[in-house]
Amino acid sequence: MAMKFLVVGGGGREHAIARALSCNPNTVIYAVMSNSNPGIATLSYGYSIAQETDVERIISFATEVGIDYAVIGPEAPLQCGVVDALEKLGIGCLGPSQASARIETDKAFCRRLMKEYQVDGLPAYRIFQDSAEAVDFISSHDEDLVIKPIGLTGGKGVKVMGEHVDRAGAIEYARSISDGIVIEERLIGEEFTLMAFVDGRSIVPMPLVQDHKRAFNGDTGPNTGGMGSYSLSDHRLPFVTDADYGSALRIMHDVVSALDRSGTPYRGVLYGQFMNTVSGPKVIEFNARFGDPEAMNVLSILSSDFSEIVIRVAEGTLRQSDVVFEQKATVCKYVVPAGYPDAPVAGDPIDIPRDNEALLYYANVSDIDGQILTRRSRSLAFVGVGPTLSDAERSAEAGASSVLGNVRYRSDIGKDEILKRRIAHMKELR
């Protein structure tokens, strides 16, 4: 029997979600997105162009077409309570309630929850509602700090002293934040992402991924929403030991347990961004949804039925055996408009050859009579899949380099040299 699934969101992550759902021939896909994504539009039986935070429009469309289950891509609709509204209609969701999504949408809530329930991996932190008090703290503190607005920042609002800003820059940034600030110790190590499907209590982990936030080759330039990412065929990373992995997974379990005990059980995808330090994994942040680009890595090698996973998460009956990934490596490379992220050039045409081996995911583009044009955010992504990282990187590189237009990408993502530097760095620390 055909089941109707709604995808909320119109980026590369949501194109990957729609593609994964489409692998089941009995799945009928609908979408709500703020701009027509040509990849999602092709896979959808129908779609509505609306703001992804317009809960009333989303509910109206879901009711009109008779949606059975929904997958929420971005964080903003979660903060607006779209899952709560859908579930009131009897529509099961892969996505947490507004209350449990605070693990991402309210950084102060996240830190207080971890402290109250004694969850490991908590960095030293302070919460300030008054920016003047935050400035005094930064001025009187000798060591490097991390400055975070309490609310959502689209992956671009965190400033790290010694990386993005000096002390004067940190003070200036803190003064510009009006809605509360979390200041944390600067963590030294290697970042990695562990995502998991969560059905309220049990969690099933996905392959480890490492994202690249910096705009330019060599991890230089400003932070972005993510220029690309990679995963390995054994679903681990060589600078993350078995003990490190076990610690990170235990932290994920403990956070899910803490949310359940606090009266806000978590259902959906939980994204843990960790810094692997000399003393083990520390929590940089949690996200309440798939990462972008990390979703494209893991969903591209998901061999089990994604629609069945969505159903089981919504029903609270998820089993480890429901989630199977191919033993393959992946490399994702985002193609972005010239000037991204600080001054992106929109409206330029892109020519995309159609004979690429890599998977192509459309992100923030316009399709005008078959001509793809850039917009102000990341344009499209190529995901190479192969038995080794080198194979996957070659595939992704061939795809990204074939795009013609006023665009660029990071050619170094997935290269062996980057991985070797990560391994060497962790060895130096330990």
Side-chain angles (χ1 to χ4, degrees):
M1 178 180 174
M3 301 288 281
K4 294 181 179 180
F5 284 75
L6 177 67
V7 177
V8 177
R13 164 182 49 212
E14 290 76 35
H15 186 185
I17 288 168
R19 176 190 170 274
L21 288 171
S22 74
C23 292
N24 183 334
N26 293 320
T27 294
V28 180
I29 299 168
Y30 292 83
V32 173
M33 43 189 169
S34 59
N35 183 70
S36 180
N37 179 309
I40 298 173
T42 299
L43 294 170
S44 299
Y45 187 80
Y47 62 89
S48 175
I49 301 300
Q51 291 301 311
E52 293 143 9
T53 54
D54 190 338
V55 175
E56 287 188 10
R57 286 281 300 277
I58 293 169
I59 293 303
S60 175
F61 182 71
T63 303
E64 176 188 335
V65 300
I67 293 298
D68 298 298
Y69 293 92
V71 182
I72 316 303
E75 59 274 25
L78 298 172
Q79 186 178 40
C80 292
V82 70
V83 167
D84 308 70
L86 288 166
E87 288 182 341
K88 282 182 181 177
L89 298 176
I91 298 172
C93 294
L94 184 73
S97 67
Q98 185 179 43
S100 53
R102 286 182 297 164
I103 198 70
E104 173 176 10
T105 63
D106 185 338
K107 293 180 180 65
F109 169 82
C110 173
R111 292 321 194 196
R112 287 169 177 148
L113 182 85
M114 291 182 68
K115 184 177 181 180
E116 179 181 353
Y117 289 92
Q118 299 181 321
V119 178
D120 285 342
L122 179 62
Y125 74 94
R126 290 280 301 273
I127 299 170
F128 298 92
Q129 296 299 331
D130 184 337
S131 60
E133 292 181 5
V135 166
D136 289 343
F137 180 79
I138 297 168
S139 301
S140 62
H141 203 88
D142 293 332
E143 297 178 358
D144 286 344
L145 299 165
V146 180
I147 319 301
K148 299 181 176 182
I150 281 178
L152 295 176
T153 62
K156 303 171 190 175
V158 175
K159 302 294 183 185
V160 181
M161 290 173 59
E163 246 182 78
H164 308 130
V165 292
D166 57 14
R167 191 167 305 278
I171 290 170
E172 180 182 359
Y173 183 55
R175 285 196 178 115
S176 72
I177 300 171
S178 59
D179 295 326
I181 305 170
V182 178
I183 297 181
E184 299 177 355
E185 65 174 311
R186 182 188 178 189
L187 301 172
I188 303 298
E190 284 296 329
E191 292 187 30
F192 67 93
T193 298
L194 173 58
M195 296 183 290
F197 294 109
V198 184
D199 72 352
R201 294 189 178 179
S202 62
I203 81 172
V204 179
M206 305 182 215
L208 295 184
V209 185
Q210 188 175 55
D211 180 26
H212 295 269
K213 289 284 189 189
R214 294 300 195 94
F216 305 117
N217 279 12
D219 290 324
T220 59
N223 269 6
T224 70
M227 291 296 295
S229 45
Y230 68 93
S231 67
L232 301 182
S233 59
D234 64 356
H235 301 166
R236 299 290 186 88
L237 293 168
F239 50 83
V240 179
T241 67
D242 288 346
D244 296 331
Y245 178 80
S247 295
L249 189 56
R250 188 164 54 254
I251 289 167
M252 298 276 280
H253 275 285
D254 289 348
V255 164
V256 170
S257 175
L259 287 165
D260 185 46
R261 289 158 62 194
S262 68
T264 55
Y266 190 98
R267 289 192 178 92
V269 172
L270 182 63
Y271 170 118
Q273 186 178 19
F274 295 92
M275 181 71 80
N276 208 22
T277 71
V278 67
S279 57
K282 300 285 187 181
V283 175
I284 297 173
E285 66 179 1
F286 288 108
N287 292 333
R289 36 71 191 183
F290 280 114
D292 184 350
E294 296 96 334
M296 291 180 273
N297 296 89
V298 297
L299 290 175
S300 295
I301 56 170
L302 179 66
S303 57
S304 48
D305 184 354
F306 183 44
S307 61
E308 183 65 23
I309 294 171
V310 173
I311 292 169
R312 288 194 170 275
V313 167
E315 294 178 346
T317 59
L318 185 66
R319 304 165 299 185
Q320 184 80 41
S321 59
D322 295 321
V323 183
V324 180
F325 295 93
E326 296 178 86
Q327 297 286 320
K328 291 183 177 179
T330 67
V331 172
C332 174
K333 298 193 181 192
Y334 249 123
V335 175
V336 303
Y340 177 82
D342 293 333
V345 179
D348 285 341
I350 306 175
D351 183 39
I352 310 167
R354 300 187 179 277
D355 57 353
N356 287 302
E357 171 189 312
L359 295 168
L360 168 61
Y361 294 111
Y362 290 93
N364 191 236
V365 295
S366 296
D367 184 355
I368 308 297
D369 297 326
Q371 175 66 70
I372 302 298
L373 304 177
T374 60
R375 288 168 62 86
R376 293 189 58 79
S377 189
R378 296 169 295 177
S379 301
L380 45 90
F382 289 90
V383 176
V385 177
T388 68
L389 183 65
S390 295
D391 293 323
E393 190 278 329
R394 278 194 293 270
S395 176
E397 176 67 18
S401 64
S402 72
V403 178
L404 303 177
N406 193 21
V407 294
R408 65 174 183 83
Y409 68 97
R410 275 189 58 172
S411 61
D412 61 342
I413 294 172
K415 295 283 191 183
D416 285 337
E417 301 82 67
I418 281 192
L419 189 57
K420 288 175 182 175
R421 284 204 300 270
R422 303 289 191 259
I423 297 168
H425 185 213
M426 282 308 302
K427 283 183 178 177
E428 288 173 10
L429 294 176
R430 290 179 167 174

